[in-house]
Amino acid sequence: MTNQSFSNRDLSVLWHPCTQMKDHENSPIIPIKKGQGVWLEDFDGNLYLDAISSWWVNLFGHANPDINSALKDQLDTLEHVIFAGFTHESGIKLAEKLVALTPAGLDRCFFADNGSAAVEIALKMSFHYWRNLGQTRKVKFITLENSYHGETLGALAVGNVQLYKETYAPLLMDVITVPSPDCYHRESGESWADFSTRRFTLMEQALEKHADTVSAVIIEPLVQCAGNMRMYDPVYLKLLRAACDKYQVHLIVDEVAVGFGRTGTLFACEQASISPDFMCLSKGLTGGYLPLSAVLTSQKTYKAFYDDYQKLTAFLHSHSYTGNALACRAGLATLDIFEQHNIIENNKHLATIMSKMAERFKGHAHVAEVRQTGMILAIEMVKNKHTREPYPWQERRGYKVYQYALTKGVILRPLGNVIYFMPPYIITEEELLLIAQVAWDGLEQAVRG
Ligand SMILES: *Cc1c(COP(=O)(O)O)cnc(C)c1O
Protein backbone atom coordinates (compact mmCIF):
# COMPACT_ATOMS: atom_id res chain seq x y z
CA MET A 1 0.00 0.00 0.00
CA THR A 2 1.23 3.47 -0.88
CA ASN A 3 0.23 7.01 0.00
CA GLN A 4 -1.31 7.37 -3.42
CA SER A 5 -3.61 4.39 -3.16
CA PHE A 6 -4.91 5.35 0.28
CA SER A 7 -5.20 8.96 -0.72
CA ASN A 8 -7.43 8.05 -3.66
CA ARG A 9 -9.66 5.86 -1.54
CA ASP A 10 -9.87 8.49 1.18
CA LEU A 11 -10.80 11.31 -1.14
CA SER A 12 -13.56 9.29 -2.71
CA VAL A 13 -15.46 8.64 0.54
CA LEU A 14 -14.22 10.91 3.33
CA TRP A 15 -14.94 14.48 4.32
CA HIS A 16 -12.28 15.91 6.64
CA PRO A 17 -12.63 18.41 9.50
CA CYS A 18 -11.89 22.11 9.06
CA THR A 19 -10.88 21.54 5.43
CA GLN A 20 -11.84 22.95 2.06
CA MET A 21 -11.71 19.54 0.38
CA LYS A 22 -10.89 21.12 -2.99
CA ASP A 23 -7.46 22.01 -1.59
CA HIS A 24 -6.64 18.33 -1.92
CA GLU A 25 -6.72 18.63 -5.69
CA ASN A 26 -3.31 20.26 -5.30
CA SER A 27 -1.97 19.01 -2.01
CA PRO A 28 -2.29 15.35 -1.15
CA ILE A 29 -3.91 14.04 1.98
CA ILE A 30 -1.31 12.15 3.98
CA PRO A 31 -2.18 8.66 5.16
CA ILE A 32 -0.32 7.87 8.36
CA LYS A 33 0.79 4.30 8.85
CA LYS A 34 2.18 4.55 12.34
CA GLY A 35 3.38 6.83 15.06
CA GLN A 36 6.26 6.63 17.49
CA GLY A 37 7.08 9.36 19.98
CA VAL A 38 6.95 12.75 18.22
CA TRP A 39 7.24 11.12 14.80
CA LEU A 40 4.58 9.97 12.34
CA GLU A 41 5.30 7.82 9.33
CA ASP A 42 3.28 7.66 6.12
CA PHE A 43 2.82 4.72 3.75
CA ASP A 44 5.69 5.83 1.52
CA GLY A 45 8.04 5.81 4.50
CA ASN A 46 8.24 9.60 4.97
CA LEU A 47 8.58 10.84 8.54
CA TYR A 48 6.84 13.88 10.02
CA LEU A 49 7.64 15.59 13.27
CA ASP A 50 4.35 16.30 15.07
CA ALA A 51 5.15 19.88 16.14
CA ILE A 52 1.51 20.69 16.93
CA SER A 53 0.79 17.58 19.01
CA SER A 54 -1.86 16.34 16.56
CA TRP A 55 -4.13 19.36 17.15
CA TRP A 56 -2.87 20.03 20.68
CA VAL A 57 -3.89 16.69 22.17
CA ASN A 58 -0.73 14.61 22.32
CA LEU A 59 1.43 15.12 25.40
CA PHE A 60 3.75 12.15 25.68
CA GLY A 61 4.17 10.93 22.14
CA HIS A 62 2.45 8.48 19.86
CA ALA A 63 2.43 4.82 20.90
CA ASN A 64 3.51 5.77 24.39
CA PRO A 65 4.48 2.52 26.12
CA ASP A 66 2.92 3.41 29.49
CA ILE A 67 -0.41 4.51 28.08
CA ASN A 68 -0.41 1.54 25.70
CA SER A 69 0.03 -1.00 28.44
CA ALA A 70 -2.62 0.62 30.65
CA LEU A 71 -5.06 0.52 27.74
CA LYS A 72 -4.28 -3.10 26.91
CA ASP A 73 -5.07 -3.99 30.51
CA GLN A 74 -8.29 -1.98 30.47
CA LEU A 75 -9.31 -3.53 27.17
CA ASP A 76 -9.17 -7.00 28.68
CA THR A 77 -11.16 -5.85 31.72
CA LEU A 78 -13.88 -3.44 30.64
CA GLU A 79 -14.13 -1.35 27.50
CA HIS A 80 -17.30 0.59 28.29
CA VAL A 81 -20.46 0.49 30.34
CA ILE A 82 -23.49 2.76 30.60
CA PHE A 83 -22.50 5.51 33.06
CA ALA A 84 -25.99 6.17 34.41
CA GLY A 85 -26.83 3.76 37.22
CA PHE A 86 -23.39 2.15 36.75
CA THR A 87 -19.81 3.18 37.35
CA HIS A 88 -16.31 1.69 37.09
CA GLU A 89 -12.89 1.84 38.71
CA SER A 90 -11.11 3.94 36.08
CA GLY A 91 -13.87 6.56 36.04
CA ILE A 92 -13.85 6.85 39.83
CA LYS A 93 -10.07 7.04 40.04
CA LEU A 94 -9.82 9.64 37.29
CA ALA A 95 -12.49 11.81 38.90
CA GLU A 96 -10.70 11.54 42.26
CA LYS A 97 -7.44 12.59 40.62
CA LEU A 98 -8.99 15.51 38.77
CA VAL A 99 -10.72 16.75 41.92
CA ALA A 100 -7.40 16.53 43.76
CA LEU A 101 -5.32 18.22 41.05
CA THR A 102 -7.62 21.06 39.98
CA PRO A 103 -7.81 24.29 42.02
CA ALA A 104 -9.54 24.21 45.41
CA GLY A 105 -13.32 24.12 45.37
CA LEU A 106 -13.66 22.02 42.22
CA ASP A 107 -15.00 18.88 43.86
CA ARG A 108 -17.36 17.34 41.33
CA CYS A 109 -16.55 15.85 37.96
CA PHE A 110 -19.00 15.38 35.07
CA PHE A 111 -17.66 13.48 32.05
CA ALA A 112 -18.37 13.97 28.35
CA ASP A 113 -16.46 13.03 25.22
CA ASN A 114 -15.07 16.18 23.61
CA GLY A 115 -14.23 19.78 24.36
CA SER A 116 -17.30 21.29 22.72
CA ALA A 117 -19.55 18.99 24.75
CA ALA A 118 -17.77 20.07 27.93
CA VAL A 119 -18.45 23.70 27.03
CA GLU A 120 -22.11 22.96 26.34
CA ILE A 121 -22.37 21.22 29.71
CA ALA A 122 -20.78 24.11 31.60
CA LEU A 123 -23.14 26.59 29.91
CA LYS A 124 -26.20 24.46 30.65
CA MET A 125 -25.16 23.74 34.24
CA SER A 126 -24.55 27.41 34.94
CA PHE A 127 -27.91 28.47 33.51
CA HIS A 128 -29.69 25.58 35.23
CA TYR A 129 -28.05 26.35 38.58
CA TRP A 130 -29.53 29.84 38.63
CA ARG A 131 -32.87 28.50 37.50
CA ASN A 132 -32.94 25.92 40.28
CA LEU A 133 -32.38 28.83 42.66
CA GLY A 134 -35.37 30.64 41.16
CA GLN A 135 -33.24 33.15 39.24
CA THR A 136 -34.83 32.75 35.84
CA ARG A 137 -33.53 36.02 34.38
CA LYS A 138 -29.94 34.85 34.17
CA VAL A 139 -29.99 33.57 30.61
CA LYS A 140 -26.99 35.26 28.95
CA PHE A 141 -23.29 34.65 28.65
CA ILE A 142 -20.39 37.06 28.43
CA THR A 143 -17.53 36.08 26.16
CA LEU A 144 -14.33 37.62 24.83
CA GLU A 145 -13.58 38.84 21.36
CA ASN A 146 -11.36 36.36 19.50
CA SER A 147 -12.29 33.49 21.82
CA TYR A 148 -12.86 29.89 20.75
CA HIS A 149 -14.87 27.26 22.59
CA GLY A 150 -15.70 24.63 19.98
CA GLU A 151 -17.97 24.02 17.01
CA THR A 152 -21.34 22.83 18.30
CA LEU A 153 -23.98 25.55 18.22
CA GLY A 154 -23.78 26.59 21.88
CA ALA A 155 -19.99 26.51 21.91
CA LEU A 156 -19.86 28.36 18.59
CA ALA A 157 -22.21 31.02 19.95
CA VAL A 158 -19.92 31.80 22.90
CA GLY A 159 -16.88 31.73 20.62
CA ASN A 160 -15.85 34.67 18.51
CA VAL A 161 -13.59 33.51 15.66
CA GLN A 162 -15.57 34.88 12.73
CA LEU A 163 -14.16 32.43 10.21
CA TYR A 164 -15.96 29.61 11.99
CA LYS A 165 -18.92 31.53 13.36
CA GLU A 166 -20.22 34.03 10.85
CA THR A 167 -21.93 31.59 8.48
CA TYR A 168 -24.03 30.14 11.28
CA ALA A 169 -24.94 33.46 12.92
CA PRO A 170 -28.71 33.05 12.32
CA LEU A 171 -28.64 29.81 14.32
CA LEU A 172 -26.73 31.10 17.33
CA MET A 173 -27.89 32.49 20.68
CA ASP A 174 -27.07 36.09 21.44
CA VAL A 175 -24.07 36.72 23.66
CA ILE A 176 -22.42 39.77 25.18
CA THR A 177 -18.98 40.16 23.63
CA VAL A 178 -16.25 42.10 25.40
CA PRO A 179 -12.91 43.18 23.86
CA SER A 180 -10.09 40.74 24.53
CA PRO A 181 -7.10 41.39 26.84
CA ASP A 182 -5.01 40.02 23.91
CA CYS A 183 -1.65 41.72 24.43
CA TYR A 184 -0.85 41.94 20.72
CA HIS A 185 -2.93 45.13 20.92
CA ARG A 186 -0.93 46.78 23.71
CA GLU A 187 0.82 50.11 23.16
CA SER A 188 4.54 49.91 22.54
CA GLY A 189 6.32 49.92 25.89
CA GLU A 190 3.19 48.84 27.75
CA SER A 191 3.53 45.65 29.81
CA TRP A 192 1.23 42.65 29.42
CA ALA A 193 -0.02 43.19 32.96
CA ASP A 194 -0.77 46.86 32.39
CA PHE A 195 -2.59 46.23 29.15
CA SER A 196 -4.60 43.29 30.52
CA THR A 197 -5.55 45.37 33.56
CA ARG A 198 -6.59 48.28 31.35
CA ARG A 199 -8.69 45.99 29.18
CA PHE A 200 -10.42 44.61 32.24
CA THR A 201 -12.28 47.91 32.67
CA LEU A 202 -14.45 46.93 29.70
CA MET A 203 -15.29 43.57 31.26
CA GLU A 204 -16.12 45.24 34.56
CA GLN A 205 -18.44 47.63 32.74
CA ALA A 206 -20.22 44.77 30.97
CA LEU A 207 -20.67 42.91 34.26
CA GLU A 208 -21.97 45.96 36.03
CA LYS A 209 -24.45 46.64 33.25
CA HIS A 210 -25.70 43.11 32.63
CA ALA A 211 -25.20 41.20 35.91
CA ASP A 212 -28.93 40.64 36.44
CA THR A 213 -29.30 38.77 33.17
CA VAL A 214 -25.90 37.09 32.95
CA SER A 215 -25.40 33.49 33.98
CA ALA A 216 -21.64 33.20 33.40
CA VAL A 217 -18.52 34.63 31.83
CA ILE A 218 -16.67 32.05 29.75
CA ILE A 219 -12.98 32.50 29.06
CA GLU A 220 -9.87 30.71 27.80
CA PRO A 221 -7.26 31.34 30.49
CA LEU A 222 -3.98 32.99 29.34
CA VAL A 223 -4.01 31.91 25.68
CA GLN A 224 -6.72 32.26 23.03
CA CYS A 225 -5.41 29.30 21.12
CA ALA A 226 -7.63 28.96 18.05
CA GLY A 227 -7.79 32.77 17.95
CA ASN A 228 -4.23 32.85 16.59
CA MET A 229 -2.46 32.02 19.87
CA ARG A 230 -3.08 35.42 21.36
CA MET A 231 -1.94 35.77 24.96
CA TYR A 232 -2.59 37.87 28.04
CA ASP A 233 -1.51 38.37 31.61
CA PRO A 234 -2.86 36.31 34.55
CA VAL A 235 -3.88 39.51 36.32
CA TYR A 236 -6.95 39.58 34.07
CA LEU A 237 -8.14 36.28 35.53
CA LYS A 238 -7.62 37.53 39.08
CA LEU A 239 -9.68 40.64 38.39
CA LEU A 240 -12.32 38.60 36.61
CA ARG A 241 -12.68 36.15 39.49
CA ALA A 242 -13.21 39.01 41.94
CA ALA A 243 -15.71 40.75 39.66
CA CYS A 244 -17.70 37.56 39.02
CA ASP A 245 -18.03 37.15 42.79
CA LYS A 246 -19.03 40.77 43.20
CA TYR A 247 -21.70 40.61 40.51
CA GLN A 248 -22.91 37.08 41.27
CA VAL A 249 -21.99 35.66 37.90
CA HIS A 250 -20.33 32.28 37.30
CA LEU A 251 -16.84 32.01 35.89
CA ILE A 252 -16.39 29.22 33.34
CA VAL A 253 -12.76 28.58 32.53
CA ASP A 254 -12.21 26.66 29.30
CA GLU A 255 -8.90 24.83 29.81
CA VAL A 256 -9.59 22.42 26.96
CA ALA A 257 -6.46 23.54 25.10
CA VAL A 258 -4.28 24.97 27.88
CA GLY A 259 -4.87 22.40 30.61
CA PHE A 260 -2.35 19.69 31.48
CA GLY A 261 0.85 21.66 31.51
CA ARG A 262 0.65 23.66 28.27
CA THR A 263 1.12 27.06 29.83
CA GLY A 264 3.80 26.08 32.34
CA THR A 265 1.54 25.02 35.20
CA LEU A 266 -0.72 21.98 35.28
CA PHE A 267 -3.71 24.30 34.81
CA ALA A 268 -3.47 27.85 33.51
CA CYS A 269 -5.72 29.11 36.34
CA GLU A 270 -2.98 28.34 38.82
CA GLN A 271 -0.95 31.27 37.49
CA ALA A 272 -3.66 33.62 38.72
CA SER A 273 -4.31 31.57 41.89
CA ILE A 274 -8.01 31.41 41.12
CA SER A 275 -10.70 28.74 41.20
CA PRO A 276 -13.43 29.00 38.59
CA ASP A 277 -17.00 27.84 39.14
CA PHE A 278 -16.65 25.50 36.18
CA MET A 279 -13.53 24.15 34.52
CA CYS A 280 -13.68 22.44 31.10
CA LEU A 281 -11.00 19.89 30.28
CA SER A 282 -10.34 17.72 27.24
CA LYS A 283 -7.57 17.48 24.57
CA GLY A 284 -4.51 16.56 26.71
CA LEU A 285 -6.68 14.75 29.25
CA THR A 286 -6.05 11.35 27.66
CA GLY A 287 -2.58 12.19 26.38
CA GLY A 288 -4.03 12.43 22.89
CA TYR A 289 -5.33 8.86 22.83
CA LEU A 290 -9.10 8.88 23.14
CA PRO A 291 -11.95 11.38 23.14
CA LEU A 292 -12.85 12.38 26.67
CA SER A 293 -13.73 15.59 28.44
CA ALA A 294 -14.64 16.64 31.93
CA VAL A 295 -16.39 19.54 33.59
CA LEU A 296 -15.26 20.19 37.13
CA THR A 297 -17.48 22.21 39.42
CA SER A 298 -18.16 22.92 43.08
CA GLN A 299 -20.10 21.07 45.70
CA LYS A 300 -22.30 24.17 45.87
CA THR A 301 -23.28 23.79 42.21
CA TYR A 302 -23.88 20.08 42.69
CA LYS A 303 -26.17 20.66 45.66
CA ALA A 304 -28.40 23.04 43.71
CA PHE A 305 -29.41 20.04 41.54
CA TYR A 306 -29.68 17.53 44.37
CA ASP A 307 -33.30 17.01 45.43
CA ASP A 308 -36.27 14.67 45.18
CA TYR A 309 -36.83 13.51 41.61
CA GLN A 310 -40.28 15.11 41.51
CA LYS A 311 -38.74 18.56 41.96
CA LEU A 312 -37.29 18.16 38.45
CA THR A 313 -34.02 19.87 39.31
CA ALA A 314 -31.73 17.10 38.03
CA PHE A 315 -29.16 17.68 35.29
CA LEU A 316 -30.53 15.31 32.68
CA HIS A 317 -27.69 15.77 30.18
CA SER A 318 -25.95 12.70 28.80
CA HIS A 319 -23.82 11.34 26.01
CA SER A 320 -23.80 7.68 25.03
CA TYR A 321 -20.08 7.38 25.68
CA THR A 322 -20.03 9.41 28.92
CA GLY A 323 -17.27 8.12 31.17
CA ASN A 324 -15.93 5.64 28.64
CA ALA A 325 -13.69 3.24 30.56
CA LEU A 326 -10.90 3.06 27.99
CA ALA A 327 -10.72 6.83 27.75
CA CYS A 328 -10.72 7.20 31.54
CA ARG A 329 -7.89 4.71 31.79
CA ALA A 330 -5.87 6.63 29.21
CA GLY A 331 -6.50 9.71 31.36
CA LEU A 332 -5.22 7.94 34.45
CA ALA A 333 -2.11 6.71 32.66
CA THR A 334 -1.48 10.26 31.44
CA LEU A 335 -1.76 11.72 34.94
CA ASP A 336 0.57 8.99 36.22
CA ILE A 337 3.22 10.17 33.78
CA PHE A 338 2.88 13.72 35.13
CA GLU A 339 3.40 12.41 38.65
CA GLN A 340 6.24 10.04 37.94
CA HIS A 341 8.37 12.17 35.64
CA ASN A 342 8.34 15.69 37.01
CA ILE A 343 6.87 16.92 33.74
CA ILE A 344 6.02 20.48 34.80
CA GLU A 345 9.62 21.07 35.86
CA ASN A 346 11.01 19.53 32.68
CA ASN A 347 8.66 21.63 30.57
CA LYS A 348 10.22 24.78 32.02
CA HIS A 349 13.51 23.65 30.55
CA LEU A 350 11.90 22.86 27.17
CA ALA A 351 10.13 26.23 27.17
CA THR A 352 13.47 27.97 27.66
CA ILE A 353 14.91 26.14 24.66
CA MET A 354 11.86 27.09 22.60
CA SER A 355 12.33 30.68 23.59
CA LYS A 356 16.02 30.66 22.58
CA MET A 357 15.41 29.01 19.25
CA ALA A 358 12.71 31.55 18.39
CA GLU A 359 14.92 34.53 19.24
CA ARG A 360 16.09 35.01 15.63
CA PHE A 361 12.49 35.32 14.38
CA LYS A 362 12.09 38.61 16.27
CA GLY A 363 14.39 40.37 13.83
CA HIS A 364 12.72 38.98 10.70
CA ALA A 365 11.36 41.69 8.39
CA HIS A 366 7.94 40.02 8.29
CA VAL A 367 7.50 39.09 11.92
CA ALA A 368 5.55 41.54 14.09
CA GLU A 369 5.75 39.55 17.30
CA VAL A 370 7.13 36.39 18.85
CA ARG A 371 5.15 35.48 21.96
CA GLN A 372 5.24 32.58 24.34
CA THR A 373 3.39 31.11 27.27
CA GLY A 374 5.01 27.92 28.51
CA MET A 375 4.94 25.25 25.81
CA ILE A 376 3.13 27.46 23.29
CA LEU A 377 5.21 29.71 21.06
CA ALA A 378 3.71 31.82 18.29
CA ILE A 379 5.22 33.88 15.49
CA GLU A 380 3.02 36.59 13.99
CA MET A 381 3.82 36.89 10.28
CA VAL A 382 2.81 40.25 8.77
CA LYS A 383 3.16 42.16 5.54
CA ASN A 384 4.58 45.23 7.26
CA LYS A 385 6.55 44.83 10.47
CA HIS A 386 6.21 48.48 11.48
CA THR A 387 2.54 49.14 10.81
CA ARG A 388 1.67 45.48 11.54
CA GLU A 389 -0.44 45.46 8.42
CA PRO A 390 -1.36 41.80 7.96
CA TYR A 391 -1.05 39.92 4.68
CA PRO A 392 -4.45 39.70 2.99
CA TRP A 393 -5.95 36.41 4.19
CA GLN A 394 -6.68 35.40 0.59
CA GLU A 395 -2.94 35.00 -0.03
CA ARG A 396 -2.81 32.14 2.48
CA ARG A 397 0.80 32.72 3.50
CA GLY A 398 0.43 30.50 6.55
CA TYR A 399 -0.78 27.67 4.35
CA LYS A 400 2.41 28.05 2.31
CA VAL A 401 4.44 27.55 5.47
CA TYR A 402 2.39 24.44 6.19
CA GLN A 403 3.00 23.00 2.74
CA TYR A 404 6.69 23.81 2.80
CA ALA A 405 7.17 22.27 6.24
CA LEU A 406 5.50 19.05 5.13
CA THR A 407 8.06 18.63 2.37
CA LYS A 408 10.73 18.92 5.09
CA GLY A 409 9.09 16.42 7.43
CA VAL A 410 7.61 18.77 10.00
CA ILE A 411 3.92 19.29 10.76
CA LEU A 412 3.33 22.99 11.31
CA ARG A 413 -0.24 24.13 10.83
CA PRO A 414 -0.33 27.91 11.09
CA LEU A 415 -3.53 29.61 12.21
CA GLY A 416 -4.01 32.20 9.49
CA ASN A 417 -0.61 33.88 9.32
CA VAL A 418 0.50 32.83 12.78
CA ILE A 419 3.09 30.06 12.86
CA TYR A 420 3.15 28.29 16.20
CA PHE A 421 4.93 25.46 17.99
CA MET A 422 2.97 23.34 20.45
CA PRO A 423 5.03 20.14 20.65
CA PRO A 424 4.57 17.02 22.75
CA TYR A 425 6.42 17.23 26.07
CA ILE A 426 8.83 14.46 25.14
CA ILE A 427 10.44 16.47 22.36
CA THR A 428 14.22 16.82 22.38
CA GLU A 429 16.36 19.91 21.91
CA GLU A 430 17.56 18.61 18.56
CA GLU A 431 13.98 18.11 17.37
CA LEU A 432 13.06 21.60 18.53
CA LEU A 433 15.95 23.00 16.50
CA LEU A 434 14.70 21.16 13.44
CA ILE A 435 11.24 22.66 13.88
CA ALA A 436 12.72 26.15 14.21
CA GLN A 437 14.89 25.75 11.12
CA VAL A 438 12.03 24.45 9.00
CA ALA A 439 9.74 27.22 10.27
CA TRP A 440 12.37 29.81 9.38
CA ASP A 441 12.85 28.45 5.87
CA GLY A 442 9.08 28.14 5.46
CA LEU A 443 8.64 31.73 6.55
CA GLU A 444 11.30 32.90 4.07
CA GLN A 445 9.55 31.01 1.31
CA ALA A 446 6.06 32.24 2.28
CA VAL A 447 7.00 35.93 2.37
CA ARG A 448 8.56 35.68 -1.09
CA GLY A 449 5.11 34.88 -2.45
C1 LIG B 1 -10.41 22.57 20.85
C2 LIG B 1 -11.13 23.45 21.81
C3 LIG B 1 -12.47 23.24 22.15
C4 LIG B 1 -13.31 22.19 21.45
O1 LIG B 1 -12.89 20.91 21.73
P1 LIG B 1 -13.30 19.73 20.69
O2 LIG B 1 -12.86 18.50 21.39
O3 LIG B 1 -12.54 20.03 19.43
O4 LIG B 1 -14.76 19.81 20.51
C5 LIG B 1 -13.05 24.03 23.10
N1 LIG B 1 -12.35 25.00 23.71
C6 LIG B 1 -11.07 25.26 23.43
C7 LIG B 1 -10.35 26.33 24.16
C8 LIG B 1 -10.41 24.51 22.45
O5 LIG B 1 -9.15 24.80 22.10
Side-chain angles (χ1 to χ4, degrees):
M1 283 301 162
T2 61
N3 281 5
Q4 183 70 48
S5 61
F6 274 120
S7 167
N8 291 343
R9 282 165 63 186
D10 177 290
L11 294 176
S12 66
V13 289
L14 275 153
W15 192 344
H16 288 267
C18 202
T19 300
Q20 171 48 266
M21 291 301 290
K22 189 167 190 284
D23 281 349
H24 285 304
E25 287 181 8
N26 300 313
S27 67
I29 186 125
I30 300 167
I32 293 300
K33 182 176 179 186
K34 62 181 188 190
Q36 186 64 61
V38 299
W39 293 96
L40 293 164
E41 184 181 341
D42 70 17
F43 280 82
D44 292 349
N46 302 304
L47 292 172
Y48 306 89
L49 206 176
D50 193 354
I52 57 155
S53 300
S54 283
W55 252 350
W56 322 343
V57 299
N58 192 293
L59 304 186
F60 302 118
H62 298 276
N64 180 285
D66 295 330
I67 305 176
N68 282 7
S69 78
L71 278 178
K72 283 172 189 166
D73 177 64
Q74 184 70 47
L75 196 56
D76 285 331
T77 315
L78 175 71
E79 78 300 334
H80 179 72
V81 64
I82 176 174
F83 212 59
F86 296 83
T87 190
H88 53 77
E89 188 178 352
S90 294
I92 295 166
K93 279 187 174 165
L94 182 60
E96 286 172 348
K97 283 236 157 119
L98 291 174
V99 163
L101 291 170
T102 50
L106 296 172
D107 298 325
R108 284 280 160 187
C109 174
F110 192 101
F111 285 126
D113 43 24
N114 64 76
S116 305
V119 167
E120 301 281 349
I121 288 162
L123 297 174
K124 284 175 70 179
M125 267 187 189
S126 169
F127 162 82
H128 199 162
Y129 169 91
W130 297 117
R131 197 181 162 81
N132 280 351
L133 262 57
Q135 302 210 34
T136 49
R137 292 186 63 217
K138 284 181 161 304
V139 297
K140 288 215 157 179
F141 297 99
I142 294 182
T143 183
L144 290 181
E145 240 169 40
N146 192 47
S147 57
Y148 180 85
H149 297 290
E151 299 293 342
T152 55
L153 294 177
L156 201 56
V158 294
N160 188 251
V161 177
Q162 295 311 314
L163 179 64
Y164 309 132
K165 179 171 186 176
E166 210 167 297
T167 311
Y168 306 100
L171 305 180
L172 305 177
M173 69 174 159
D174 246 355
V175 294
I176 297 157
T177 307
V178 173
S180 170
D182 167 8
C183 288
Y184 186 66
H185 300 301
R186 73 195 186 281
E187 300 293 324
S188 78
E190 192 177 19
S191 73
W192 281 29
D194 285 348
F195 180 73
S196 298
T197 304
R198 183 154 69 82
R199 271 293 162 100
F200 186 75
T201 319
L202 300 164
M203 175 61 87
E204 174 102 37
Q205 283 165 7
L207 278 165
E208 189 174 7
K209 186 165 171 208
H210 300 289
D212 292 355
T213 56
V214 169
S215 176
V217 175
I218 181 165
I219 188 166
E220 294 161 275
L222 303 188
V223 188
Q224 296 187 311
C225 292
N228 292 355
M229 301 294 170
R230 294 294 177 81
M231 301 172 183
Y232 62 90
D233 192 89
V235 69
Y236 192 89
L237 297 172
K238 257 202 205 333
L239 295 168
L240 180 59
R241 176 66 278 182
C244 285
D245 286 341
K246 178 174 169 194
Y247 292 105
Q248 293 284 294
V249 165
H250 285 143
L251 175 57
I252 301 173
V253 162
D254 178 353
E255 294 234 11
V256 167
V258 295
F260 302 103
R262 257 312 147 193
T263 64
T265 42
L266 189 59
F267 300 106
C269 276
E270 293 170 25
Q271 294 183 41
S273 309
I274 60 148
S275 293
D277 299 289
F278 299 90
M279 182 187 272
C280 301
L281 299 172
S282 189
K283 292 204 167 108
L285 174 56
T286 63
Y289 264 68
L290 286 158
L292 180 70
S293 62
V295 178
L296 277 291
T297 189
S298 64
Q299 205 63 10
K300 183 176 168 194
T301 306
Y302 177 74
K303 283 202 180 131
F305 292 78
Y306 194 92
D307 208 336
D308 297 329
Y309 183 81
Q310 289 75 5
K311 298 273 178 59
L312 294 178
T313 56
F315 191 60
L316 299 181
H317 184 107
S318 67
H319 295 286
S320 312
Y321 283 99
T322 297
N324 176 263
L326 281 164
C328 287
R329 187 65 182 269
L332 276 175
T334 300
L335 292 177
D336 281 348
I337 297 174
F338 272 101
E339 263 173 40
Q340 288 159 13
H341 297 277
N342 217 0
I343 299 303
I344 299 295
E345 220 27 61
N346 187 48
N347 279 3
K348 289 197 179 118
H349 174 64
L350 285 174
T352 308
I353 299 174
M354 283 166 72
S355 157
K356 277 193 201 132
M357 76 189 204
E359 194 60 35
R360 67 192 285 216
F361 286 84
K362 290 181 184 165
H364 194 284
H366 290 281
V367 171
E369 184 178 66
V370 176
R371 53 183 173 266
Q372 184 179 13
T373 301
M375 293 291 287
I376 307 173
L377 191 144
I379 297 159
E380 186 94 24
M381 176 168 53
V382 290
K383 186 167 179 182
N384 185 316
K385 190 181 181 75
H386 303 289
T387 63
R388 295 190 159 188
E389 183 195 347
Y391 282 110
W393 62 269
Q394 295 89 338
E395 294 176 6
R396 303 183 78 187
R397 305 264 173 173
Y399 188 62
K400 288 179 178 139
V401 176
Y402 167 73
Q403 287 184 307
Y404 171 82
L406 276 182
T407 67
K408 299 295 171 193
V410 175
I411 305 176
L412 295 171
R413 200 173 192 275
L415 290 153
N417 293 328
V418 174
I419 303 164
Y420 69 90
F421 313 141
M422 201 155 163
Y425 305 161
I426 55 156
I427 195 152
T428 64
E429 180 160 359
E430 205 181 0
E431 287 159 348
L432 281 171
L433 288 172
L434 172 65
I435 295 174
Q437 187 58 47
V438 169
W440 178 270
D441 296 340
L443 173 64
E444 287 279 71
Q445 183 124 333
V447 300
R448 274 201 296 270

